[in-house]
Amino acid sequence: MALGCRQGGRAPLGRPLLRRRPAAARAAERGGAGSSARPYGAAVSGGDEEAAAAASGEELLEVCWRRHFLRGGAGPRAMLPWRPYLSGCHPGFGPLGVALRSNLEAQWWESALTLREQVLAVDSPLHGPPAGQGLRLLHSETLREARRGCSQEPGGPSLEEVLGSAGMLRESLLPGALAQYVSCLELVNKRLPCGLAQIGVCFHSVPESEQHDKNVRRIGERTTSLLAWFSSPRTSGQWLDYWLRQRLQWWRKFAVGPSNFSSSDFQDEEGRKGFKLHYSFPWGTETIETLKNLGDTELLQMHPGDSSKLLARDGRKNVIPHVLSVSGNLDRGVLAYLFDSLQLAENPLTKRKNSQRKVLKLHPCLAPLKVALDVGKGPTTELRQVCQGLFNELSENRISVWPGYLETMQVSLEQLYTKYDEMSVLFMVLITDATLENGVVQLRSRDTTMKEMMHISRLKDFLIKYVTSAKNV
């Protein structure tokens, strides 16, 4: 990408700038997150038009479509544009949204496995054998033949028989985890507490209030995380409180506005206690995770007959454990962090109305892209070779890189800053002819908008240390 026009009247990179820049420009560089920046949700209390746009989330949705966090935008606008994404009936996530969810899943696994002893990862199929009521897996042609047989061949299988033999779509990860309890118990030496962890897609019926056609029941899907925690009956209440604190702290850890994550308690029809974790969207709170003390009921139902195989050690006693279910909706978690991360900052270089700078300040551990590589003034072929070598080095160290140097359309630096801020790229690295001379690159920060010069040999270690430090906060 030959971007010689970007340099304009700037001094060559690697040399000190002797000219004093305008005060407005210096203020912009000191921090896009300065006093003029504010969370997107704060716009709800702004002017009428601004508050209406923030309450519906339209502005963020445009950014998510434009930067490919979410798929959509081609069809007619809905009155509640975020409802399909919350209900699981949407076109899906775009490439950056998939990367964001993948990073969220990686952080969940790290919290569930590497930071806890006695937790095993499990897996279960998306469908199971026929059992009770639920979503059925049935080929459309089989259904047509059953209906045709009922009307033309009385001796054929009835529609109820065909439906009864159809497999069930997975609506929860819990049954699959409980089914593996006995076999996994041997791996932990039958010692309590222990846990089984899984992430997978689950299906659900969309509520009637959200159905477009009342005669057709729609099915939504969601990416679900589950930690099934087994403990002795005497300590199950304490573990419920423990995991409530841990999970609320985990969600808040990656948030710009931690107070938007909250909890509330509930009690089901059988008197079992639990908690729900919520995120406060502009239109109201939505549940992102549910913790529930199930007792031993589900475990006994899953393994009828000889209950001695369910016994586990609690000190010197053998007990049938109580089950604590910690189930999260990671798709909603992605939406929550998108709302949490969007910052609106006034542009001090222009006084035009609606000229706010939009920045997705996702946590460094969650940001889909850590760095973008671009070329400035200088010989294009040589600069791209430097970028390619740097791309390979960073990628080998598991640092996600956006290859901006492959772009052929000439754009200004300000346009690139806007693009990468909306993509939540942590740093933009500009490779110029100065890099070929002395190995110095320009590093621009998403969060502060500050630009600094750094030798290319230090870049990898700097980025690794930056992300690691953010993870340990």
Side-chain angles (χ1 to χ4, degrees), residues 231-238 314-315 317 322:
S231 67
S232 67
R234 65 180 179 84
T235 60
S236 61
Q238 299 173 18
D314 174 33
K317 295 182 179 180
H322 280 197

Side-chain angles (χ1 to χ4, degrees), residues 177-322:
L178 295 182
Q180 301 181 60
Y181 165 76
V182 174
S183 59
C184 291
L185 194 59
E186 299 292 337
L187 294 175
V188 295
N189 200 24
K190 294 190 174 183
R191 186 178 60 187
L192 296 177
C194 62
L196 301 178
Q198 182 180 357
I199 290 180
V201 175
C202 292
F203 302 88
H204 59 272
S205 295
V206 176
E208 292 185 3
S209 59
E210 300 177 19
Q211 299 282 352
H212 299 303
D213 186 347
K214 301 300 181 181
N215 298 320
V216 179
R217 178 59 63 90
R218 302 177 67 205
I219 296 178
E221 64 179 68
R222 66 194 184 280
T223 302
T224 304
S225 61
L226 172 74
L227 174 63
W229 187 252
F230 305 91
S231 67
S232 67
R234 65 180 179 84
T235 60
S236 61
Q238 299 173 18
W239 279 113
L240 180 62
D241 293 335
Y242 169 84
W243 283 114
L244 170 64
R245 293 192 301 270
Q246 291 295 314
R247 296 307 302 151
L248 188 57
Q249 181 182 3
W250 184 84
W251 285 104
R252 288 175 170 176
K253 173 182 178 180
F254 306 107
V256 177
S259 61
N260 286 323
F261 290 92
S262 60
S263 65
S264 64
D265 60 341
F266 71 91
Q267 196 167 342
D268 66 9
E269 299 82 0
E270 301 177 15
R272 299 181 295 188
K273 296 181 179 180
F275 295 93
K276 291 185 177 181
L277 302 186
H278 313 276
Y279 181 77
S280 297
F281 290 91
W283 56 81
T285 60
E286 302 283 353
T287 301
I288 57 174
E289 194 162 39
T290 302
L291 298 83
K292 192 174 183 180
N293 191 344
L294 301 174
D296 58 10
T297 305
E298 275 79 358
L299 191 59
L300 290 170
Q301 291 175 348
M302 180 61 65
H303 301 277
D306 185 12
S307 60
S308 62
K309 60 185 178 183
L310 304 179
L311 293 174
R313 296 205 319 266
D314 174 33
R316 297 182 179 180
K317 295 182 179 180
N318 289 327
V319 298
I320 296 178
H322 280 197

